[in-house]
Amino acid sequence: MTKSTASRFTSLKAYKQLQDHFEYCSELHMRRLFSIDPERHKRMSLEFDWLLLDYSKNRITDTTLKLLFELAREAKLDDAIQAMFKSGKETGHSSLHTAIRNRDSDSQNTEVELTLKRMSSFTEQVHNHEVKGYSNKAITDIVNIGIGGSELGVQSVCCALRPYHQPNALDMHFVSNVDGANIEETLAQLNPETTLFIISSKRFSNAETVTNAQTAKRWLLAKSNNISSVAKHFIAITTQHEAARSFGITEDYTFKLWDWVDDRFAIWSATGLPIMLSIGIKHFNDFLDGAYEMDEHYKTAPLEENMPVIMALIGVWYNNFFKAESQAILTYDYHLSDLPKYIEQIDMQGNGKSVDREGNTVDYPTGPIIWGGNGLHTQHAFYQMLHRGKKIIPADFIVSMRTHSVYQEQHNQLFSNAIAQAEALMRGRNLQETITHIEHTPGGFDQNDIDALPHRVYGGNNPSNMLLMQRLTPKSLGIILALYEHKTFTQGAIWGLNSCDQRDIELGNSISSMIMNDLRNDTIPAGQHDASTNALIKHYKKTVYPECKHSV
């Protein structure tokens, strides 16, 4: 049972000052802010390594930032940041993933170091074609079976770093959906003699993952006719080694996870083995190093020069004062197509909460809805809403400047579109500018143009951040992912949330188990579900299993 309503955040002195300040800022147009302050973009930009953050296209002033930094200090953000990097239950944080990417020999956890060495050794063996299947043929394909943090982050990183895929690496496949079509279509491409499965499951008990793993096991045994073949074709990444052994996986093929690593951040642990297998040991270490360098920046930089803190505070400004309900992630690099989904998971699973860390129900908005997409596809899907809709939707543009393709000129077009969209969102186009634009169009004005004028005016004043990478590399991707992890943690700390706590699917899983039993039985226990759910179960059984009797 939740406790009384919490309002500590809204009781802070800086919060009340920001409320008063909002009344002034809410009517400001960014065009005006740029026109009176030519140096605005210089003050409101920050570089870290090969990454540039330009946050000048936001509905903020110097006073806004000053008050936001005061808010952070009143919320004791500095203390929360330092606590996050310390181990021990006394910190109140259940995830210490930052320790995994700290490869400093003076502070490296021995367990982590040994696991990384095992991952590296195994990767070398695979790349040297020393890992063979039951028929003594070299492994050619890897299938990662997992869900949530055991799949989404891994797949998005493998997709993003495809240009770094090693020539001697294996083909990577991902199965997460319990819909049988996912694994059926994947297995149809593969040869059981040369396929290696990685079962990535913290507890080795997730119903969807175990179901897919059992299907893969039956597929293998149907060809090998030998139970011992399982030991050559399955790897487990889990905290539950005994469950892996019961499945038939040897200790040599079992990689350890730790309870102190939250699923959303598991890519930095042994869960990232498919990433290392794909891009190689050196590039995986570069990936870790990029995240570690952002960790150090977050831990040591003053709040006013701290990239995750700045982005987080601007997000709080929109979320809690403008009452923005969502945040768009817009990537302009072909290989970053899956990144918005992963950032969505990091943020919404972390801060999508209505109860604070003490168990009190909060009385203010917390995490926003995170959504987005990749490049020009999104411009033709939902930018009408960004430009002309009635909802304020802050956007983050994540853009690479150099491409891995030989067609840099085409990438120039992509870059131009990203920068143009950010400018158009900010500036808009007023009536006089619209008329001038039409007058300079071949054919000039006609009656249709006059009638359409209201539809061709853009109000502008739509906020965005611009993140420019020199090039998408393992290191720069590590920096970006750690940046969004720390942005999420910062907002959670200010709102009084435990961003590392994740209980999102417990209720749904328990009801799902009951419904699975209902599908197996002729009757459904009275009072177990509502009338609508009972009717849906009965309809499903009648359609899929018409020969059976059904009653509710």
Side-chain angles (χ1 to χ4, degrees):
M1 185 175 71
T2 57
K3 302 177 185 177
S4 59
T5 300
S7 57
R8 180 179 175 276
F9 165 65
T10 54
S11 298
L12 297 175
K13 179 181 177 182
Y15 178 89
K16 298 180 186 302
Q17 291 174 320
L18 281 163
Q19 279 186 311
D20 294 336
H21 177 65
F22 171 74
E23 297 303 319
Y24 165 74
C25 276
S26 61
E27 300 302 321
L28 284 178
H29 199 293
M30 285 186 280
R31 287 181 70 150
R32 170 69 176 163
L33 296 175
F34 273 96
S35 68
I36 63 176
D37 184 6
E39 302 297 306
R40 176 181 172 87
H41 72 286
K42 292 182 180 179
R43 287 197 321 282
M44 296 184 181
S45 62
L46 181 65
E47 286 191 71
F48 178 80
D49 200 86
W50 285 10
L51 182 67
L52 168 68
L53 167 65
D54 179 351
Y55 56 97
S56 62
K57 293 186 179 71
N58 279 291
R59 294 169 70 170
I60 57 175
T61 66
D62 292 338
T63 301
T64 314
L65 290 171
K66 179 183 176 183
L67 291 173
L68 286 170
F69 291 128
E70 288 179 11
L71 180 76
R73 290 191 170 93
E74 282 189 58
K76 301 188 184 306
L77 176 61
D78 280 315
D79 292 345
I81 291 173
Q82 298 311 312
M84 189 191 72
F85 286 94
K86 294 177 182 177
S87 61
K89 294 182 180 178
E90 71 278 4
T91 64
H93 303 301
S94 60
S95 191
L96 295 168
H97 54 284
T98 54
I100 304 174
R101 51 214 195 195
N102 179 0
R103 298 193 299 122
D104 183 342
S105 59
D106 294 332
S107 60
Q108 180 63 62
N109 180 295
T110 303
E111 261 193 321
V112 171
E113 187 176 16
L114 289 173
T115 297
L116 289 173
K117 285 182 177 178
R118 284 195 64 208
M119 291 167 62
S120 299
S121 175
F122 183 75
T123 297
E124 283 185 348
Q125 293 174 43
V126 169
H127 289 182
N128 292 333
H129 306 293
E130 296 170 7
V131 176
K132 301 183 186 297
Y134 70 87
S135 63
N136 209 36
K137 292 181 180 179
I139 297 298
T140 60
D141 291 86
I142 295 264
V143 179
N144 186 83
I145 298 178
I147 199 167
S150 300
E151 185 270 342
L152 183 56
V154 176
Q155 184 170 10
S156 66
V157 171
C158 285
C159 174
L161 299 181
R162 196 176 296 132
Y164 293 87
H165 187 79
Q166 297 298 289
N168 55 348
L170 286 68
D171 290 332
M172 308 299 299
H173 312 270
F174 295 88
V175 171
S176 61
N177 200 323
V178 76
D179 187 331
N182 186 189
I183 193 164
E184 182 179 24
E185 291 179 4
T186 301
L187 296 179
Q189 314 168 48
L190 305 175
N191 179 355
E193 297 176 74
T194 59
T195 300
L196 183 68
F197 296 94
I198 297 177
I199 306 175
S200 189
S201 177
K202 195 171 191 176
R203 303 293 177 199
F204 215 86
S205 60
N206 179 278
E208 294 83 4
T209 298
V210 171
T211 296
N212 279 321
Q214 292 289 359
T215 299
K217 183 178 179 179
R218 288 193 297 270
W219 175 78
L220 172 69
L221 293 175
K223 181 66 182 287
S224 71
N225 292 313
N226 189 340
I227 191 64
S228 65
S229 63
V230 174
K232 289 181 173 288
H233 290 268
F234 280 86
I235 287 175
I237 300 173
T238 184
T239 62
Q240 304 300 311
H241 288 212
E242 186 56 42
R245 279 193 290 273
S246 297
F247 187 89
I249 302 172
T250 65
E251 191 65 26
D252 286 345
Y253 270 27
T254 302
F255 291 81
K256 188 172 185 177
L257 284 180
W258 305 282
D259 286 326
W260 42 266
V261 177
D262 186 271
D263 289 345
R264 286 165 297 144
F265 312 125
I267 57 170
W268 313 106
S269 69
T271 300
L273 179 61
I275 301 172
M276 184 182 282
L277 288 168
S278 175
I279 66 177
I281 300 165
K282 177 187 179 299
H283 292 314
F284 186 81
N285 287 336
D286 289 342
F287 177 58
L288 293 180
D289 288 345
Y292 171 68
E293 289 182 16
M294 178 52 74
D295 291 343
E296 289 298 295
H297 167 75
Y298 182 55
K299 184 166 61 173
T300 61
L303 299 185
E304 290 81 2
E305 301 170 17
N306 195 308
M307 195 175 285
V309 170
I310 291 169
M311 290 182 65
L313 291 175
I314 292 172
V316 169
W317 175 235
Y318 292 124
N319 188 75
N320 296 95
F321 297 93
F322 281 88
K323 307 303 181 187
E325 296 178 343
S326 72
Q327 161 88 48
I329 306 295
L330 311 171
T331 56
Y332 281 75
D333 185 293
Y334 174 72
H335 293 107
L336 290 178
S337 59
D338 286 343
L339 183 61
K341 290 187 291 185
Y342 185 41
I343 294 174
E344 173 184 300
Q345 181 192 54
I346 291 171
D347 198 303
M348 293 207 290
Q349 296 288 75
N351 289 338
K353 298 182 174 79
S354 58
V355 176
D356 71 9
R357 63 172 69 95
E358 278 81 38
N360 300 304
T361 302
V362 301
D363 60 356
Y364 46 82
T366 55
I369 300 164
I370 305 295
W371 60 286
N374 188 243
L376 298 185
H377 296 298
T378 60
Q379 291 182 198
H380 295 275
F382 54 72
Y383 274 39
Q384 173 82 2
M385 178 74 163
L386 297 183
H387 284 285
R388 302 175 63 88
K390 292 295 290 182
K391 297 182 184 296
I392 180 171
I393 304 174
D396 286 354
F397 289 84
I398 304 175
V399 185
S400 65
M401 293 186 285
R402 293 176 178 164
T403 179
H404 289 282
S405 164
V406 297
Y407 305 113
Q408 180 64 43
E409 185 62 32
Q410 289 189 213
H411 199 76
N412 294 349
Q413 283 185 264
L414 188 70
F415 174 81
S416 299
N417 270 274
I419 303 302
Q421 290 297 331
E423 182 179 9
L425 285 168
M426 182 276 290
R427 284 180 56 84
R429 188 174 67 188
N430 61 33
L431 179 60
Q432 185 54 55
E433 290 169 336
T434 302
I435 292 172
T436 301
H437 171 75
I438 296 173
E439 287 175 341
H440 286 84
T441 301
F445 262 110
D446 61 24
Q447 186 60 45
N448 289 333
D449 290 319
I450 295 173
D451 295 339
L453 273 176
H455 303 283
R456 301 181 70 171
V457 172
Y458 293 78
N461 217 24
N462 297 298
S464 68
N465 293 311
M466 179 64 65
L467 284 163
L468 290 183
M469 293 181 289
Q470 286 193 26
R471 185 192 295 268
L472 176 58
T473 67
K475 183 179 180 181
S476 66
L477 182 62
I479 289 171
I480 287 282
L481 295 184
L483 167 65
Y484 276 94
E485 288 176 4
H486 297 323
K487 175 197 170 188
T488 300
F489 178 84
T490 298
Q491 292 181 332
I494 291 171
W495 291 323
L497 309 177
N498 181 356
S499 301
C500 298
D501 176 54
Q502 183 178 336
R503 304 174 187 272
D504 60 303
I505 56 174
E506 287 181 1
L507 176 60
N509 280 346
S510 64
I511 297 175
S512 176
S513 296
M514 288 191 290
I515 292 174
M516 281 296 293
N517 288 328
D518 296 336
L519 295 179
R520 298 186 186 104
N521 300 321
D522 290 337
T523 61
I524 300 174
Q528 182 161 280
H529 307 291
D530 62 87
S532 169
T533 301
N534 282 333
L536 293 171
I537 295 170
K538 187 175 181 180
H539 182 73
Y540 181 91
K541 293 170 74 172
K542 182 179 179 182
T543 303
V544 179
Y545 305 108
E547 69 282 0
C548 299
K549 295 181 180 180
H550 315 291
S551 61
V552 177

